[in-house]
Amino acid sequence: MGRWGIIEEEWRKGPWTVEEDKLLIDYVNLHGEGRWNSVARLAGLKRNGKSCRLRWVNYLRPDLKRGQITPYEERIILELHAIWGNRWSTIARSLPGRTDNEIKNYWRTHFKKKVKKSSIDNSKKIKVHSLKRQQFQQQQQLNSQIDMKKMMSFFEENENKVLSHVPKQNMTILYQNNTFHEQEQGGFFYSMINGYANYVPLPEASSNEDIMWDIGLWNLDDFNVNL
DNA sequence: AACTCGATCAACCGCTAAAGG
DNA sequence: CCCTTTAGCGGTTGATCGAGT
């Protein structure tokens, strides 16, 4: 019984201690991710499954990237938020090692006020309309020339392979370490920098017009490049 | 020294969808 | 089918910190 004659909280809450972290890490190493509700029983943690999962995915996961959001990452966040709105987990999939929570926090603290008045209407964010497409294409053209040069050489070196994937609306291709990695996700070419070609999923094309627009992005003539 | 205030961000909540039985 | 469990999402909170007064 607690101070007030009420049954004590069954689960611990609040910030995690290093001891708790270690218990959770040991549990995941032993049993893998998932079955979070059994962590308390099997690892001796007085945390509910939800809290354990959150701690793992947002902080303890070994593949997380630590440190400041880079300017490159910031640009992706801004551009993808213009497309997707507050769909943080979708945005996070394009930023390896970053969590949706991290991106959400970053955007809210850095950009919420600035975007408040002029922001696009997020209520229809799932639909891709021509205005958004125009905005996105304009942003594409505002990208730095060095990015465009890398993108150009990427296309030139891998033209056949890349173009063969264009009609596949559900194919995502990552280009890392001089190899292609294909993933079954909706997507299209987004940007290329630091040897990392990033295909970003978009809301599914719902009309021929949308599909044509997606393919249009692959036309190198569309990019304003000064080599 | 004491206080306010805004920024930051880890962790919470409610809710939904998918999976399991 | 229904009911329960589990995973995941996005909004919100509140502890903490540092800068300014």
Side-chain angles (χ1 to χ4, degrees):
Chain A
M1 297 292 258
R3 247 179 324 171
W4 313 109
I6 302 167
I7 296 168
E8 290 275 16
E9 272 290 322
E10 192 179 354
W11 304 113
R12 266 185 52 77
K13 286 187 179 180
W16 282 63
T17 65
V18 286
E19 292 81 11
E20 287 178 313
D21 281 347
K22 185 166 190 320
L23 288 173
L24 183 53
I25 290 169
D26 290 345
Y27 169 85
V28 175
N29 287 338
L30 205 60
H31 299 94
E33 298 184 36
R35 313 283 321 182
W36 297 108
N37 281 343
S38 57
V39 176
R41 186 165 32 86
L42 297 176
L45 263 172
K46 289 181 97 63
R47 295 273 182 172
N48 64 24
K50 208 169 177 176
S51 181
C52 292
R53 177 194 161 272
L54 198 76
R55 184 63 178 174
W56 177 258
V57 302
N58 281 344
Y59 193 79
L60 296 177
R61 252 169 52 204
D63 58 328
L64 287 179
K65 187 185 289 182
R66 310 283 176 157
Q68 294 271 308
I69 301 278
T70 67
Y72 169 59
E73 289 172 322
E74 179 186 292
R75 206 180 69 212
I76 291 185
I77 291 170
L78 283 173
E79 293 181 357
L80 292 189
H81 188 272
I83 296 169
W84 286 103
N86 296 357
R87 294 171 67 173
W88 307 112
S89 67
T90 304
I91 296 171
R93 277 175 214 125
S94 297
L95 292 166
R98 302 295 188 183
T99 68
D100 54 354
N101 211 36
E102 195 174 10
I103 293 166
K104 177 173 59 182
N105 280 333
Y106 188 82
W107 189 86
R108 288 181 62 85
T109 56
H110 289 83
F111 304 113
K112 190 167 195 283
K113 284 177 187 167
K114 296 170 190 170
V115 177
K116 209 169 186 177
K117 290 289 183 203
S118 62
S119 114
I120 57 174
D121 177 18
N122 282 342
S123 65
K124 293 173 181 172
K125 58 199 169 191
I126 296 175
K127 283 279 181 187
V128 179
H129 294 304
S130 57
L131 183 62
K132 287 185 184 178
R133 292 203 298 272
Q134 285 168 16
Q135 286 176 346
F136 187 70
Q137 283 179 307
Q138 283 165 7
Q139 284 174 345
Q140 282 285 337
Q141 304 209 351
L142 288 173
N143 284 345
S144 68
Q145 290 184 6
I146 183 70
D147 292 353
M148 291 300 122
K149 287 179 183 173
K150 288 182 178 177
M151 197 187 293
M152 286 290 287
S153 56
F154 171 79
F155 275 121
E156 285 164 7
E157 288 168 21
N158 306 288
E159 190 177 5
N160 293 337
K161 198 157 188 177
V162 168
L163 291 181
S164 71
H165 286 100
V166 170
K168 296 185 181 177
Q169 294 296 312
N170 292 323
M171 183 62 71
T172 293
I173 307 167
L174 296 175
Y175 184 68
Q176 279 177 305
N177 304 325
N178 297 321
T179 29
F180 285 96
H181 306 275
E182 298 180 358
Q183 292 178 359
E184 291 290 337
Q185 288 175 16
F188 72 102
F189 188 80
Y190 166 66
S191 66
M192 169 79 184
I193 192 169
N194 295 336
Y196 193 104
N198 204 3
Y199 290 72
V200 174
L202 272 182
E204 60 180 29
S206 54
S207 67
N208 287 340
E209 185 196 350
D210 287 329
I211 292 168
M212 287 309 293
W213 171 72
D214 283 346
I215 293 174
L217 276 178
W218 291 81
N219 186 343
L220 299 184
D221 292 335
D222 286 348
F223 296 108
N224 243 342
V225 185
N226 296 317
L227 288 174

